[in-house]
């Protein structure tokens, strides 16, 4: 029997969010353990009588100067040094919450209706409330799609194990298959993966609860 080669393609944000949801946890309460992720891939390869090549890990970073940039940089540095992981990074872009202008306008109108000075009301509001910016990843899906098709075309792997649920990857999956690769979708829950990707996948693997507990251990609380 000719041994086949597995390569992993991991949308870290998807795995963290959906894995936590499957465990009944908040994503803020768990962390991704890179060594456990590699061990999970090696176990899949062993059970399939295949060889694990490496896992391409896709995440997003804050721009330099952001409050979280230094801590994130240390995390990514350690991650990049994990055997079996190749790190690929997009960007995190922060946006003003879409509902913030409406709330502020309603507060000003309410203050005026009550005969209060709107500016004073808004100053007091800002002292007691802060809107969290909405964060969006940019470039991650593009990197996954490009790598999936490019590496399939170079015959780097026989099977891609994709951990992502985004429908925008459907055409990349189709293209990799047309180049001769198998594409297996791995997920904490098949219902969090787009229908288009599920229908194209050569196989769907659901990551079981034990695997998720290994991959997503709870964060250790920090005390002052």
């Amino acid at each position: 029997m000719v041994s086949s080669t597995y390569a992993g393609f991991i949308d870290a944000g998807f795995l963290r969010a959906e894995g936590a949801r499957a465990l009944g946890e908040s994503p803020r309460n768990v962390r991704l353990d890179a060594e456990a992720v590699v061990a999970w891939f090696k176990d899949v390869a062993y059970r399939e009588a295949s060889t694990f090549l490496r896992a391409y890990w896709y995440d997003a970073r804050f721009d330099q100067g952001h409050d979280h940039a230094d801590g994130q940089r240390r995390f990514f540095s350690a991650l990049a040094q994990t055997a079996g992981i190749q790190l690929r990074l997009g960007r995190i872009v922060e946006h003003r919450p879409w509902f913030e202008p409406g709330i502020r306008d309603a507060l000003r109108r309410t203050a005026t209706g009550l005969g209060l000075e709107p500016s004073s009301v808004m100053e007091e509001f800002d002292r007691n409330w802060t809107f969290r910016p909405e964060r969006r990843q940019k470039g991650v899906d593009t990197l996954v799609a490009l790598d999936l098709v490019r590496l399939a075309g170079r015959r780097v792997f026989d099977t891609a194990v994709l951990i992502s649920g985004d429908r925008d990857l459907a055409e990349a999956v189709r293209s990799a298959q047309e180049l001769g690769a198998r594409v297996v979708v791995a997920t904490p829950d098949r219902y969090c993966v787009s229908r288009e990707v599920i229908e194209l996948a050569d196989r769907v693997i659901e990551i079981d609860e034990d695997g998720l507990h290994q991959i997503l251990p709870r964060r250790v609380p920090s005390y002052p």
Side-chain angles (χ1 to χ4, degrees):
M1 178 184 295
V2 177
S3 178
S4 62
T5 302
Y6 266 66
F9 296 81
I10 309 159
D11 180 338
F14 169 84
L15 179 55
R16 185 184 301 110
E18 296 301 334
R21 186 188 61 80
L23 292 172
E25 294 279 2
S26 165
R28 297 186 181 195
N29 294 336
V30 299
R31 63 179 180 85
L32 274 172
D33 186 317
E35 292 184 351
V37 171
V38 171
W40 183 86
F41 274 105
K42 288 181 176 178
D43 182 60
V44 170
Y46 174 78
R47 286 186 277 114
E48 298 290 331
S50 300
T51 301
F52 170 62
L53 177 66
R54 70 180 63 89
Y56 297 88
W57 182 296
Y58 301 86
D59 217 322
R61 62 185 166 195
F62 291 103
D63 289 334
Q64 188 174 1
H66 191 281
D67 291 344
H68 299 313
D70 287 343
Q72 191 186 49
R73 184 168 58 250
R74 289 191 293 271
F75 168 74
F76 285 147
S77 177
L79 182 62
Q81 296 176 52
T82 302
I85 295 287
Q86 186 169 119
L87 182 62
R88 302 277 277 146
L89 294 175
R91 294 177 59 236
I92 295 176
V93 178
E94 293 187 332
H95 297 273
R96 186 182 185 187
W98 63 269
F99 51 82
E100 180 180 347
I103 290 176
R104 290 187 175 278
D105 183 60
L107 282 171
R108 291 188 187 95
R109 291 174 181 271
T110 300
T112 300
L114 294 172
L116 302 174
E117 175 58 42
S119 61
S120 298
V121 171
M122 296 310 300
E123 287 176 7
E124 184 64 24
F125 176 77
D126 287 335
R127 278 195 291 268
N128 291 278
W129 183 266
T130 300
F131 288 97
R132 287 183 178 176
E134 293 181 341
R135 294 172 179 171
R136 298 176 185 173
Q137 293 185 346
K138 293 292 185 181
V140 172
D141 287 342
T142 299
L143 287 173
V144 177
L146 288 174
D147 286 349
L148 189 61
V149 175
R150 177 174 57 87
L151 297 174
R154 294 180 180 177
R155 302 293 193 270
V156 171
F157 57 81
D158 301 298
T159 299
V161 181
L162 176 65
I163 302 181
S164 179
D166 200 310
R167 65 179 297 178
D168 290 343
L169 294 175
E171 284 308 311
V173 170
R174 191 193 310 276
S175 296
Q177 291 170 326
E178 289 174 350
L179 289 166
R182 293 177 69 243
V183 179
V184 173
V185 170
T187 176
D189 181 351
R190 69 171 55 231
Y191 295 105
C192 63
V193 180
S194 74
R195 179 178 56 82
E196 292 86 349
V197 172
I198 288 289
E199 290 177 353
L200 285 169
D202 293 291
R203 183 184 173 194
V204 178
I205 298 174
E206 291 199 24
I207 306 172
D208 62 23
E209 185 175 345
D210 288 342
L212 289 173
H213 278 300
Q214 294 295 318
I215 291 170
L216 291 164
R218 288 183 62 86
R219 291 185 181 277
V220 177
S222 58
Y223 299 98

